Amino acid sequence: MFIAIEGIDGSGKSTAITKLRDRLVSRGFAVHVTSEPSQSPIGRLIRDWLLKPNSGVAHPSVFALLFVADRVQHYYGEVKPMLDKDYLVISERYMESTLAYQGAMGLPMSWLIELHRPVPRPDLTIILDVPVDVAVNRLRSRRELEVFEINKDFLEKVREILLSRAREVDYPVINADRSIGEVVDDVFDIITRYLRR
Ligand code: ADP
Ligand code: TYD
């Protein structure tokens, strides 16, 4: 089973995934946790170049093309091999991140969806939702803000697209402006309900 956890920066994805993994492992699941941008050379290029502030202005389509190239490599190079070995794979970010972030940069949704033709959709996509102010305050207390985290208006747009896609495609949305325990309980319930089906 392939699960993607999505949400704006600071929504608590990596914190929730770490706790979720522990809980699933303690129930006997073989779990592989991964994230995008991935550890592939394309993922490294994205981190080293595209996401550095003042790294030179790239056209928004360069972001989309590189994130999707990284995703295709990540899926076939890492996710699929683990699924084939019967692991439950949890990815922090996947397709919806490109639709939301690069959509918020002004790129057309239909083109962004079309770019994803080479990769399958996850079995389950779960959105962790928090107001932008909450997310930014969390990130401020944690570390320096990265390139997309600086702009609240941009993150508002990203959040809006995530929520409108969730309504359209029927993704579960978790209120992540609660304690980590409550958030993880809800995500865990959604996954186990899906597995029982
Ligand atoms: P993301 O991976 O979505 O960017 P993180 O998991 O890194 O978010 O969380 C960002 C910050 O917010 C971290 O300092 C983390 O400890 C804190 N945090 C995460 N979830 C919660 C929560 N439910 N309540 C309060 N703080 C949280
Ligand atoms: P990430 O490492 O998840 O950042 P964080 O730990 O702060 O949540 O992702 C880096 C940034 O890249 C993040 O701001 C979201 C952005 N991003 C896109 O714009 N498009 C994408 O397709 C992906 C996967 C990430």
Side-chain angles (χ1 to χ4, degrees):
M1 181 188 188
F2 178 27
I3 301 165
I5 306 288
E6 302 275 8
I8 59 173
D9 302 83
S11 54
K13 296 180 296 302
S14 53
T15 309
I17 289 171
T18 302
K19 294 195 180 295
L20 186 65
R21 174 186 37 207
D22 293 348
R23 199 177 293 188
L24 287 163
V25 167
S26 75
R27 307 285 167 100
F29 290 95
V31 182
H32 179 70
V33 166
T34 185
S35 61
E36 295 185 0
S38 79
Q39 299 303 319
S40 81
I42 309 170
R44 276 204 300 279
L45 172 68
I46 291 171
R47 287 180 200 284
D48 291 348
W49 170 52
L50 219 47
L51 294 178
K52 288 256 161 74
N54 313 316
S55 60
V57 182
H59 188 271
S61 63
V62 176
F63 282 80
L65 293 165
L66 281 184
F67 280 117
V68 176
D70 180 45
R71 183 155 307 126
V72 176
Q73 181 56 37
H74 181 221
Y75 181 79
Y76 289 102
E78 180 178 343
V79 175
K80 185 169 186 302
M82 295 310 281
L83 292 173
D84 289 345
K85 286 194 242 172
D86 276 341
Y87 275 78
L88 194 161
V89 179
I90 304 176
S91 183
E92 177 179 342
R93 299 192 181 282
Y94 192 69
M95 171 179 172
E96 295 304 326
S97 283
T98 300
L99 269 51
Y101 282 78
Q102 280 59 66
M105 290 176 149
L107 294 170
M109 205 50 61
S110 55
W111 183 65
L112 294 172
I113 291 171
E114 179 65 19
L115 285 180
H116 284 84
R117 211 190 269 198
V119 284
R121 308 292 181 261
D123 298 299
L124 199 54
T125 294
I126 299 172
I127 315 280
L128 301 191
D129 182 54
V130 289
V132 169
D133 281 342
V134 172
V136 169
N137 284 334
R138 285 181 184 173
L139 292 169
R140 276 213 183 99
S141 63
R142 182 180 68 171
R143 57 173 160 76
E144 289 294 304
L145 297 183
E146 279 173 16
V147 60
F148 295 143
E149 295 163 359
I150 294 160
N151 191 329
K152 281 193 186 184
D153 291 341
F154 179 75
L155 283 183
E156 292 286 1
K157 258 192 242 166
V158 173
R159 182 184 181 212
E160 212 172 278
I161 298 173
L162 282 172
L163 292 177
S164 87
R165 284 276 303 167
R167 280 192 297 274
E168 233 175 88
V169 194
D170 206 19
Y171 295 140
V173 176
I174 306 276
N175 171 9
D177 186 10
R178 293 177 299 159
S179 74
I180 293 164
E182 289 172 297
V183 173
V184 175
D185 283 348
D186 280 5
V187 177
F188 185 78
D189 280 351
I190 290 171
I191 294 170
T192 47
R193 245 184 287 140
Y194 182 92
L195 287 168
R196 276 201 295 270
R197 271 197 350 216

